[in-house]
Amino acid sequence: MCGVLGIWGRSEVAADLIFGLTTLQHRGQDAAGAITFDGSFHVKIGRGLVSRVFEDRHQERLRGTWGLGHVRYATMGSTDVEDAQPVHVNYPYGLAMVHNGNVVNFAEVRENLYTEHHRLVDTSNDVALILYTFAAALEQRDLRALTFDDLFSCVDATRRAIHGAYAVICLIAGRGLLAFSDPHGIRPMVLGVRQTPKGPEYAIASETTCLDYLGFRVEGDIGAGEAVFIDATGTVHRHQGPREKPAFCVFEYIYFAREDSVLQGRVVAAERERMGRALADVVRRAGLRPDVVIDVPASGFLFASSMAQALGIPFRRGLAKNHHIGRSFILPTDEERRRMVGLKLNPIRGVLEGRRVAVVDDSIVRGTTSRRLVELLRGAGAREVYVISAAPPVVSPCVYGIDMSTTAEIIAANRTVDDVCRMIGADAVVYQELSALRSLYGEISCCDACFSGEYPTHVDREALDDIRREKEDAGR
Ligand code: 5GP
Ligand code: MG
């Protein structure tokens, strides 16, 4: 999972680009990069947080009024800077590209690019694959007389070749900024406009929160099969390409997006509160009567507080979090992840002693976090511990860019809720029900493959095996 940003401006863009990336930092902390254009490309890519990658001198060096930025959420093991974004080529146009998502037919596309178009993609980076495929389509056109229709038909050709989830922004040197989503619209992307004395400026970003901070008014989503091109004069062209049944990633609502973002017209915070209320029904039906509800900060907060309110049970802050510590989720071994949870979260004395505690997290994936939390809460005097997951049981790996691990690691795959409860040592485990989640998202039709195993695109065994192999290699 990653964050993308593209700005079509009329003044120097670097400062907004870099600041904008900090507002998408929650979408990726492993690498950051930016590219600008002022007749030539200027690039800066580095490992780690935006604030660490970009220094004042980079802002000066990134000259130009158009630019692209990226924050990378590497799945374990692929934190190499070579795989970071943006990527660019100088032929047949100067093209720079960033994307968020995951290509599921990587090997097929790579092979086809080499045999049909004599282009060798020698990275494992999806965006290079998309970029070369798009470039190969462009090259077959009369470049001197390239029309908007030509451009969009090259996007559609790219879509026919590339399967999976992708929200792409492409800077075409001297021509403009192009953005397009996959036919299911799995990953989020929004367009915004800002009036300036020099005329309107445009931004395209993964989330509206970024547009808010930068002062762009949100114009709407770039959804399933849509493409937007902002040409060199600042005119916006839109195109609806081939469109499949929409399958927007439901995990964006559960965990990934920031709570102040608006996705598909819905405020994420309000969605989490709705899910929290639905969770209260499940807890009630399970016959549980906790004395206190606490959250796993910070991602469990909105679920926990709204669930507690619906149940009429006090919500308290029972765990404090060290915010200045790395991610536990991608550490290679379970023992390291387990230790990291204890370094990150500390029970607050006095809130838990002698109480039946319901602790609410957004999701349980491998069960590492909840197993360690149960120990911590018992150690702090909790009489009983109920672990509540705002997400249904994760049972299948995500092939569209969310780091969900492999089936072998996922605790709920091929296990009952009772098994999970025993494994994490809780007195009870309650999951959101898939049917309840679906009834909340029936109208917009979401991808819930991680909970249902129903993938919206064709996913062959090979793609699933690739993910497994990648993880196993990384674990070595
Ligand atoms: P587990 O410890 O069960 O493997 O993972 C669940 C915990 O990891 C939850 O606290 C949840 O907030 C977090 N989590 C779930 N999905 C992701 C993810 O894709 N990336 C990261 N960094 N954390 C995640
Ligand atoms: Mg968490």
Side-chain angles (χ1 to χ4, degrees), residues 1 29 73 251 255-256 296-297 299-300 327-330 334 337 341 344-345 361-371 373 401-405 409 411:
M1 185 60 61
Q29 288 108 46
Y73 183 143
F251 210 65
Y255 173 76
F256 230 89
V296 182
S299 55
R327 290 203 288 141
S328 52
F329 195 81
I330 62 163
D334 203 53
R337 290 190 294 265
V341 175
K344 204 181 257 185
L345 297 170
D361 205 351
D362 60 278
S363 59
I364 301 170
V365 182
R366 289 175 288 225
T368 314
T369 306
S370 31
R371 190 180 310 138
L373 275 180
I402 288 190
D403 184 13
M404 285 283 185
S405 307
E409 288 182 318
I411 191 168

mmCIF file of all heavy atoms in Angstrom, residues 1 29 73 251 255-256 296-297 299-300 327-330 334 337 341 344-345 361-371 373 401-405 409 411, ligand 1:
data_model
loop_
_atom_site.group_PDB
_atom_site.id
_atom_site.type_symbol
_atom_site.label_atom_id
_atom_site.label_comp_id
_atom_site.label_asym_id
_atom_site.label_seq_id
_atom_site.Cartn_x
_atom_site.Cartn_y
_atom_site.Cartn_z
ATOM 1 N N MET A 1 0.842 -1.190 0.000
ATOM 2 C CA MET A 1 0.000 0.000 0.000
ATOM 3 C C MET A 1 0.877 1.240 0.000
ATOM 4 O O MET A 1 1.936 1.240 0.616
ATOM 5 C CB MET A 1 -0.871 -0.002 1.241
ATOM 6 C CG MET A 1 -1.857 1.125 1.275
ATOM 7 S SD MET A 1 -2.971 1.097 -0.086
ATOM 8 C CE MET A 1 -3.739 -0.447 0.177
ATOM 9 N N GLN A 29 5.706 4.372 5.123
ATOM 10 C CA GLN A 29 6.802 5.005 5.870
ATOM 11 C C GLN A 29 8.162 4.448 5.483
ATOM 12 O O GLN A 29 9.155 4.751 6.108
ATOM 13 C CB GLN A 29 6.589 4.778 7.373
ATOM 14 C CG GLN A 29 5.449 5.581 7.969
ATOM 15 C CD GLN A 29 4.248 4.708 8.317
ATOM 16 O OE1 GLN A 29 4.411 3.661 8.914
ATOM 17 N NE2 GLN A 29 3.072 5.122 7.919
ATOM 18 N N TYR A 73 4.951 1.926 1.086
ATOM 19 C CA TYR A 73 4.724 0.977 2.151
ATOM 20 C C TYR A 73 5.226 -0.343 1.606
ATOM 21 O O TYR A 73 4.503 -1.038 0.908
ATOM 22 C CB TYR A 73 3.225 0.927 2.415
ATOM 23 C CG TYR A 73 2.778 0.042 3.543
ATOM 24 C CD1 TYR A 73 1.719 0.443 4.344
ATOM 25 C CD2 TYR A 73 3.367 -1.179 3.795
ATOM 26 C CE1 TYR A 73 1.285 -0.355 5.371
ATOM 27 C CE2 TYR A 73 2.938 -1.965 4.818
ATOM 28 C CZ TYR A 73 1.886 -1.554 5.604
ATOM 29 O OH TYR A 73 1.455 -2.350 6.636
ATOM 30 N N PHE A 251 -10.901 -2.339 3.249
ATOM 31 C CA PHE A 251 -9.895 -2.172 4.296
ATOM 32 C C PHE A 251 -9.417 -0.717 4.424
ATOM 33 O O PHE A 251 -8.878 -0.324 5.455
ATOM 34 C CB PHE A 251 -8.714 -3.122 4.052
ATOM 35 C CG PHE A 251 -8.015 -3.557 5.320
ATOM 36 C CD1 PHE A 251 -8.674 -4.328 6.260
ATOM 37 C CD2 PHE A 251 -6.710 -3.179 5.579
ATOM 38 C CE1 PHE A 251 -8.036 -4.723 7.436
ATOM 39 C CE2 PHE A 251 -6.065 -3.569 6.749
ATOM 40 C CZ PHE A 251 -6.729 -4.341 7.687
ATOM 41 N N TYR A 255 -8.969 0.354 8.145
ATOM 42 C CA TYR A 255 -7.653 0.605 8.724
ATOM 43 C C TYR A 255 -6.836 1.663 7.990
ATOM 44 O O TYR A 255 -6.191 2.503 8.621
ATOM 45 C CB TYR A 255 -6.858 -0.706 8.743
ATOM 46 C CG TYR A 255 -5.419 -0.536 9.174
ATOM 47 C CD1 TYR A 255 -5.099 -0.349 10.507
ATOM 48 C CD2 TYR A 255 -4.381 -0.545 8.234
ATOM 49 C CE1 TYR A 255 -3.770 -0.182 10.912
ATOM 50 C CE2 TYR A 255 -3.057 -0.380 8.631
ATOM 51 C CZ TYR A 255 -2.765 -0.200 9.960
ATOM 52 O OH TYR A 255 -1.465 -0.032 10.352
ATOM 53 N N PHE A 256 -6.844 1.591 6.667
ATOM 54 C CA PHE A 256 -5.784 2.281 5.968
ATOM 55 C C PHE A 256 -5.899 3.794 5.877
ATOM 56 O O PHE A 256 -4.966 4.529 6.163
ATOM 57 C CB PHE A 256 -5.584 1.676 4.563
ATOM 58 C CG PHE A 256 -4.155 1.401 4.375
ATOM 59 C CD1 PHE A 256 -3.614 0.187 4.756
ATOM 60 C CD2 PHE A 256 -3.308 2.392 3.940
ATOM 61 C CE1 PHE A 256 -2.261 -0.030 4.691
ATOM 62 C CE2 PHE A 256 -1.953 2.185 3.863
ATOM 63 C CZ PHE A 256 -1.423 0.968 4.236
ATOM 64 N N VAL A 296 -7.242 -0.192 21.061
ATOM 65 C CA VAL A 296 -5.824 -0.341 20.737
ATOM 66 C C VAL A 296 -5.478 0.903 19.923
ATOM 67 O O VAL A 296 -5.930 1.041 18.790
ATOM 68 C CB VAL A 296 -5.556 -1.617 19.921
ATOM 69 C CG1 VAL A 296 -4.059 -1.759 19.639
ATOM 70 C CG2 VAL A 296 -6.076 -2.841 20.653
ATOM 71 N N PRO A 297 -4.714 1.817 20.546
ATOM 72 C CA PRO A 297 -4.491 3.091 19.859
ATOM 73 C C PRO A 297 -3.547 2.918 18.672
ATOM 74 O O PRO A 297 -2.678 2.062 18.720
ATOM 75 C CB PRO A 297 -3.844 3.964 20.939
ATOM 76 C CG PRO A 297 -3.280 3.038 21.952
ATOM 77 C CD PRO A 297 -4.063 1.754 21.861
ATOM 78 N N SER A 299 -5.624 3.045 15.929
ATOM 79 C CA SER A 299 -6.555 2.623 14.880
ATOM 80 C C SER A 299 -7.855 2.032 15.434
ATOM 81 O O SER A 299 -8.848 1.939 14.721
ATOM 82 C CB SER A 299 -5.876 1.620 13.952
ATOM 83 O OG SER A 299 -5.365 0.541 14.705
ATOM 84 N N GLY A 300 -7.879 1.638 16.727
ATOM 85 C CA GLY A 300 -9.104 1.065 17.281
ATOM 86 C C GLY A 300 -10.049 2.094 17.882
ATOM 87 O O GLY A 300 -11.189 1.763 18.257
ATOM 88 N N ARG A 327 7.380 0.289 12.819
ATOM 89 C CA ARG A 327 6.235 -0.578 12.613
ATOM 90 C C ARG A 327 6.539 -1.983 13.110
ATOM 91 O O ARG A 327 7.576 -2.552 12.791
ATOM 92 C CB ARG A 327 5.902 -0.637 11.128
ATOM 93 C CG ARG A 327 5.336 0.652 10.615
ATOM 94 C CD ARG A 327 4.522 0.395 9.376
ATOM 95 N NE ARG A 327 5.361 0.069 8.243
ATOM 96 C CZ ARG A 327 5.044 -0.836 7.354
ATOM 97 N NH1 ARG A 327 3.923 -1.514 7.461
ATOM 98 N NH2 ARG A 327 5.828 -1.078 6.342
ATOM 99 N N SER A 328 5.614 -2.557 13.873
ATOM 100 C CA SER A 328 5.806 -3.923 14.332
ATOM 101 C C SER A 328 5.340 -4.917 13.283
ATOM 102 O O SER A 328 5.832 -6.038 13.204
ATOM 103 C CB SER A 328 5.043 -4.151 15.639
ATOM 104 O OG SER A 328 3.696 -3.760 15.503
ATOM 105 N N PHE A 329 4.392 -4.464 12.443
ATOM 106 C CA PHE A 329 3.692 -5.385 11.556
ATOM 107 C C PHE A 329 4.619 -6.082 10.564
ATOM 108 O O PHE A 329 4.396 -7.228 10.201
ATOM 109 C CB PHE A 329 2.594 -4.626 10.813
ATOM 110 C CG PHE A 329 1.593 -5.499 10.141
ATOM 111 C CD1 PHE A 329 0.558 -6.061 10.863
ATOM 112 C CD2 PHE A 329 1.676 -5.768 8.794
ATOM 113 C CE1 PHE A 329 -0.374 -6.873 10.252
ATOM 114 C CE2 PHE A 329 0.742 -6.578 8.169
ATOM 115 C CZ PHE A 329 -0.282 -7.130 8.900
ATOM 116 N N ILE A 330 5.696 -5.363 10.109
ATOM 117 C CA ILE A 330 6.511 -5.970 9.045
ATOM 118 C C ILE A 330 7.818 -6.576 9.550
ATOM 119 O O ILE A 330 8.643 -7.002 8.763
ATOM 120 C CB ILE A 330 6.828 -4.987 7.895
ATOM 121 C CG1 ILE A 330 7.652 -3.801 8.409
ATOM 122 C CG2 ILE A 330 5.568 -4.524 7.201
ATOM 123 C CD1 ILE A 330 8.345 -3.040 7.279
ATOM 124 N N ASP A 334 8.146 -13.658 14.438
ATOM 125 C CA ASP A 334 7.034 -13.450 15.354
ATOM 126 C C ASP A 334 7.534 -12.948 16.705
ATOM 127 O O ASP A 334 6.901 -12.123 17.341
ATOM 128 C CB ASP A 334 6.240 -14.749 15.519
ATOM 129 C CG ASP A 334 4.820 -14.458 15.976
ATOM 130 O OD1 ASP A 334 4.156 -13.641 15.310
ATOM 131 O OD2 ASP A 334 4.405 -14.999 17.011
ATOM 132 N N ARG A 337 8.164 -9.269 16.480
ATOM 133 C CA ARG A 337 6.897 -8.537 16.417
ATOM 134 C C ARG A 337 6.250 -8.489 17.793
ATOM 135 O O ARG A 337 5.709 -7.480 18.219
ATOM 136 C CB ARG A 337 5.945 -9.193 15.407
ATOM 137 C CG ARG A 337 6.376 -9.031 13.962
ATOM 138 C CD ARG A 337 5.279 -9.475 13.005
ATOM 139 N NE ARG A 337 5.000 -10.897 13.069
ATOM 140 C CZ ARG A 337 5.539 -11.805 12.253
ATOM 141 N NH1 ARG A 337 6.381 -11.444 11.316
ATOM 142 N NH2 ARG A 337 5.218 -13.070 12.368
ATOM 143 N N VAL A 341 5.341 -5.096 20.114
ATOM 144 C CA VAL A 341 4.020 -4.699 20.628
ATOM 145 C C VAL A 341 4.172 -4.204 22.061
ATOM 146 O O VAL A 341 3.608 -3.179 22.451
ATOM 147 C CB VAL A 341 3.021 -5.880 20.567
ATOM 148 C CG1 VAL A 341 1.696 -5.507 21.219
ATOM 149 C CG2 VAL A 341 2.787 -6.320 19.126
ATOM 150 N N LYS A 344 5.652 -0.841 22.233
ATOM 151 C CA LYS A 344 4.805 0.218 21.681
ATOM 152 C C LYS A 344 3.650 0.564 22.621
ATOM 153 O O LYS A 344 3.300 1.721 22.777
ATOM 154 C CB LYS A 344 4.248 -0.266 20.331
ATOM 155 C CG LYS A 344 3.855 0.842 19.403
ATOM 156 C CD LYS A 344 3.292 0.287 18.113
ATOM 157 C CE LYS A 344 4.289 0.356 16.992
ATOM 158 N NZ LYS A 344 3.733 -0.073 15.711
ATOM 159 N N LEU A 345 3.060 -0.456 23.234
ATOM 160 C CA LEU A 345 1.845 -0.234 24.026
ATOM 161 C C LEU A 345 2.099 -0.544 25.493
ATOM 162 O O LEU A 345 2.748 -1.541 25.823
ATOM 163 C CB LEU A 345 0.712 -1.119 23.498
ATOM 164 C CG LEU A 345 0.274 -0.846 22.058
ATOM 165 C CD1 LEU A 345 -0.676 -1.933 21.577
ATOM 166 C CD2 LEU A 345 -0.381 0.518 21.932
ATOM 167 N N ASP A 361 -9.615 -3.663 18.534
ATOM 168 C CA ASP A 361 -8.615 -3.327 17.510
ATOM 169 C C ASP A 361 -9.312 -3.320 16.149
ATOM 170 O O ASP A 361 -10.423 -3.837 16.008
ATOM 171 C CB ASP A 361 -7.473 -4.355 17.527
ATOM 172 C CG ASP A 361 -6.173 -3.775 16.962
ATOM 173 O OD1 ASP A 361 -6.201 -2.653 16.413
ATOM 174 O OD2 ASP A 361 -5.140 -4.453 17.075
ATOM 175 N N ASP A 362 -8.650 -2.714 15.166
ATOM 176 C CA ASP A 362 -9.276 -2.685 13.837
ATOM 177 C C ASP A 362 -9.335 -4.076 13.219
ATOM 178 O O ASP A 362 -10.299 -4.426 12.556
ATOM 179 C CB ASP A 362 -8.520 -1.715 12.916
ATOM 180 C CG ASP A 362 -7.078 -2.101 12.729
ATOM 181 O OD1 ASP A 362 -6.256 -1.768 13.602
ATOM 182 O OD2 ASP A 362 -6.772 -2.770 11.739
ATOM 183 N N SER A 363 -8.284 -4.874 13.453
ATOM 184 C CA SER A 363 -8.244 -6.192 12.807
ATOM 185 C C SER A 363 -7.285 -7.123 13.540
ATOM 186 O O SER A 363 -6.429 -6.677 14.292
ATOM 187 C CB SER A 363 -7.780 -6.053 11.350
ATOM 188 O OG SER A 363 -6.490 -5.469 11.286
ATOM 189 N N ILE A 364 -7.473 -8.402 13.303
ATOM 190 C CA ILE A 364 -6.521 -9.411 13.773
ATOM 191 C C ILE A 364 -6.006 -10.098 12.516
ATOM 192 O O ILE A 364 -6.800 -10.629 11.737
ATOM 193 C CB ILE A 364 -7.208 -10.457 14.679
ATOM 194 C CG1 ILE A 364 -7.844 -9.784 15.909
ATOM 195 C CG2 ILE A 364 -6.209 -11.525 15.124
ATOM 196 C CD1 ILE A 364 -8.745 -10.734 16.730
ATOM 197 N N VAL A 365 -4.703 -10.054 12.307
ATOM 198 C CA VAL A 365 -4.153 -10.692 11.110
ATOM 199 C C VAL A 365 -3.413 -11.972 11.521
ATOM 200 O O VAL A 365 -3.942 -13.067 11.399
ATOM 201 C CB VAL A 365 -3.248 -9.728 10.309
ATOM 202 C CG1 VAL A 365 -2.740 -10.425 9.044
ATOM 203 C CG2 VAL A 365 -3.998 -8.452 9.937
ATOM 204 N N ARG A 366 -2.226 -11.804 12.065
ATOM 205 C CA ARG A 366 -1.503 -12.994 12.537
ATOM 206 C C ARG A 366 -1.838 -13.320 13.990
ATOM 207 O O ARG A 366 -1.501 -14.386 14.490
ATOM 208 C CB ARG A 366 0.002 -12.774 12.400
ATOM 209 C CG ARG A 366 0.465 -12.792 10.957
ATOM 210 C CD ARG A 366 1.930 -12.452 10.864
ATOM 211 N NE ARG A 366 2.128 -11.038 11.146
ATOM 212 C CZ ARG A 366 2.905 -10.228 10.423
ATOM 213 N NH1 ARG A 366 3.543 -10.692 9.384
ATOM 214 N NH2 ARG A 366 3.035 -8.964 10.734
ATOM 215 N N GLY A 367 -2.433 -12.336 14.661
ATOM 216 C CA GLY A 367 -2.771 -12.539 16.070
ATOM 217 C C GLY A 367 -1.648 -12.147 17.020
ATOM 218 O O GLY A 367 -1.779 -12.276 18.235
ATOM 219 N N THR A 368 -0.551 -11.655 16.460
ATOM 220 C CA THR A 368 0.594 -11.286 17.306
ATOM 221 C C THR A 368 0.219 -10.184 18.287
ATOM 222 O O THR A 368 0.502 -10.274 19.482
ATOM 223 C CB THR A 368 1.752 -10.766 16.427
ATOM 224 O OG1 THR A 368 1.912 -11.655 15.340
ATOM 225 C CG2 THR A 368 3.023 -10.641 17.223
ATOM 226 N N THR A 369 -0.401 -9.136 17.773
ATOM 227 C CA THR A 369 -0.744 -7.992 18.606
ATOM 228 C C THR A 369 -1.704 -8.405 19.707
ATOM 229 O O THR A 369 -1.478 -8.114 20.881
ATOM 230 C CB THR A 369 -1.400 -6.881 17.751
ATOM 231 O OG1 THR A 369 -0.529 -6.579 16.672
ATOM 232 C CG2 THR A 369 -1.674 -5.631 18.575
ATOM 233 N N SER A 370 -2.768 -9.107 19.343
ATOM 234 C CA SER A 370 -3.775 -9.422 20.360
ATOM 235 C C SER A 370 -3.256 -10.412 21.394
ATOM 236 O O SER A 370 -3.569 -10.289 22.575
ATOM 237 C CB SER A 370 -5.081 -9.891 19.725
ATOM 238 O OG SER A 370 -4.857 -10.549 18.538
ATOM 239 N N ARG A 371 -2.419 -11.351 20.972
ATOM 240 C CA ARG A 371 -1.887 -12.317 21.937
ATOM 241 C C ARG A 371 -1.052 -11.593 22.999
ATOM 242 O O ARG A 371 -1.210 -11.817 24.192
ATOM 243 C CB ARG A 371 -1.023 -13.359 21.221
ATOM 244 C CG ARG A 371 -0.649 -14.517 22.121
ATOM 245 C CD ARG A 371 0.215 -15.548 21.401
ATOM 246 N NE ARG A 371 -0.347 -15.951 20.127
ATOM 247 C CZ ARG A 371 0.359 -16.128 19.008
ATOM 248 N NH1 ARG A 371 1.667 -15.911 19.011
ATOM 249 N NH2 ARG A 371 -0.218 -16.500 17.892
ATOM 250 N N LEU A 373 -1.229 -8.421 23.728
ATOM 251 C CA LEU A 373 -2.084 -7.492 24.482
ATOM 252 C C LEU A 373 -2.810 -8.196 25.618
ATOM 253 O O LEU A 373 -2.946 -7.643 26.710
ATOM 254 C CB LEU A 373 -3.134 -6.867 23.552
ATOM 255 C CG LEU A 373 -2.672 -5.646 22.775
ATOM 256 C CD1 LEU A 373 -3.795 -5.143 21.895
ATOM 257 C CD2 LEU A 373 -2.210 -4.557 23.742
ATOM 258 N N GLY A 401 -2.265 -5.194 -2.808
ATOM 259 C CA GLY A 401 -1.349 -4.204 -2.259
ATOM 260 C C GLY A 401 -1.371 -4.036 -0.757
ATOM 261 O O GLY A 401 -0.552 -3.311 -0.214
ATOM 262 N N ILE A 402 -2.305 -4.687 -0.058
ATOM 263 C CA ILE A 402 -2.258 -4.592 1.397
ATOM 264 C C ILE A 402 -1.484 -5.785 1.936
ATOM 265 O O ILE A 402 -1.671 -6.910 1.496
ATOM 266 C CB ILE A 402 -3.676 -4.486 2.007
ATOM 267 C CG1 ILE A 402 -4.226 -3.094 1.687
ATOM 268 C CG2 ILE A 402 -3.633 -4.713 3.516
ATOM 269 C CD1 ILE A 402 -5.485 -2.720 2.382
ATOM 270 N N ASP A 403 -0.609 -5.486 2.882
ATOM 271 C CA ASP A 403 0.300 -6.506 3.397
ATOM 272 C C ASP A 403 -0.432 -7.383 4.396
ATOM 273 O O ASP A 403 -0.450 -7.112 5.577
ATOM 274 C CB ASP A 403 1.470 -5.784 4.078
ATOM 275 C CG ASP A 403 2.519 -6.759 4.555
ATOM 276 O OD1 ASP A 403 2.461 -7.930 4.147
ATOM 277 O OD2 ASP A 403 3.379 -6.353 5.338
ATOM 278 N N MET A 404 -1.046 -8.453 3.905
ATOM 279 C CA MET A 404 -1.874 -9.301 4.764
ATOM 280 C C MET A 404 -1.209 -10.619 5.127
ATOM 281 O O MET A 404 -1.828 -11.487 5.702
ATOM 282 C CB MET A 404 -3.185 -9.653 4.065
ATOM 283 C CG MET A 404 -4.161 -8.550 4.017
ATOM 284 S SD MET A 404 -4.940 -8.363 5.597
ATOM 285 C CE MET A 404 -6.123 -7.096 5.180
ATOM 286 N N SER A 405 0.014 -10.824 4.693
ATOM 287 C CA SER A 405 0.701 -12.081 4.961
ATOM 288 C C SER A 405 0.136 -13.229 4.134
ATOM 289 O O SER A 405 -0.791 -13.054 3.354
ATOM 290 C CB SER A 405 0.597 -12.485 6.423
ATOM 291 O OG SER A 405 1.020 -11.458 7.246
ATOM 292 N N GLU A 409 0.359 -17.824 7.686
ATOM 293 C CA GLU A 409 0.561 -16.948 8.843
ATOM 294 C C GLU A 409 -0.742 -16.400 9.410
ATOM 295 O O GLU A 409 -0.794 -15.990 10.567
ATOM 296 C CB GLU A 409 1.416 -15.746 8.440
ATOM 297 C CG GLU A 409 2.868 -16.065 8.182
ATOM 298 C CD GLU A 409 3.622 -14.791 7.832
ATOM 299 O OE1 GLU A 409 3.095 -13.961 7.072
ATOM 300 O OE2 GLU A 409 4.730 -14.630 8.334
ATOM 301 N N ILE A 411 -3.985 -16.033 11.209
ATOM 302 C CA ILE A 411 -4.434 -16.874 12.321
ATOM 303 C C ILE A 411 -5.826 -17.472 12.087
ATOM 304 O O ILE A 411 -6.101 -18.605 12.492
ATOM 305 C CB ILE A 411 -4.352 -16.112 13.667
ATOM 306 C CG1 ILE A 411 -4.564 -17.066 14.855
ATOM 307 C CG2 ILE A 411 -5.312 -14.948 13.725
ATOM 308 C CD1 ILE A 411 -4.208 -16.476 16.209
HETATM 309 P P1 5GP B 1 -1.539 -8.915 13.869
HETATM 310 O O1 5GP B 1 -0.749 -8.463 15.036
HETATM 311 O O2 5GP B 1 -2.757 -9.688 14.224
HETATM 312 O O3 5GP B 1 -0.695 -9.629 12.845
HETATM 313 O O4 5GP B 1 -2.047 -7.627 13.097
HETATM 314 C C1 5GP B 1 -3.067 -6.824 13.605
HETATM 315 C C2 5GP B 1 -2.537 -5.488 14.007
HETATM 316 O O5 5GP B 1 -1.775 -4.930 12.959
HETATM 317 C C3 5GP B 1 -3.629 -4.497 14.313
HETATM 318 O O6 5GP B 1 -3.228 -3.753 15.451
HETATM 319 C C4 5GP B 1 -3.708 -3.593 13.100
HETATM 320 O O7 5GP B 1 -3.931 -2.242 13.480
HETATM 321 C C5 5GP B 1 -2.378 -3.758 12.454
HETATM 322 N N1 5GP B 1 -2.487 -3.944 11.011
HETATM 323 C C6 5GP B 1 -3.409 -4.564 10.294
HETATM 324 N N2 5GP B 1 -3.113 -4.523 8.985
HETATM 325 C C7 5GP B 1 -1.968 -3.862 8.896
HETATM 326 C C8 5GP B 1 -1.153 -3.498 7.807
HETATM 327 O O8 5GP B 1 -1.433 -3.759 6.632
HETATM 328 N N3 5GP B 1 -0.024 -2.824 8.135
HETATM 329 C C9 5GP B 1 0.313 -2.497 9.427
HETATM 330 N N4 5GP B 1 1.430 -1.820 9.656
HETATM 331 N N5 5GP B 1 -0.446 -2.826 10.448
HETATM 332 C C10 5GP B 1 -1.566 -3.503 10.184
#
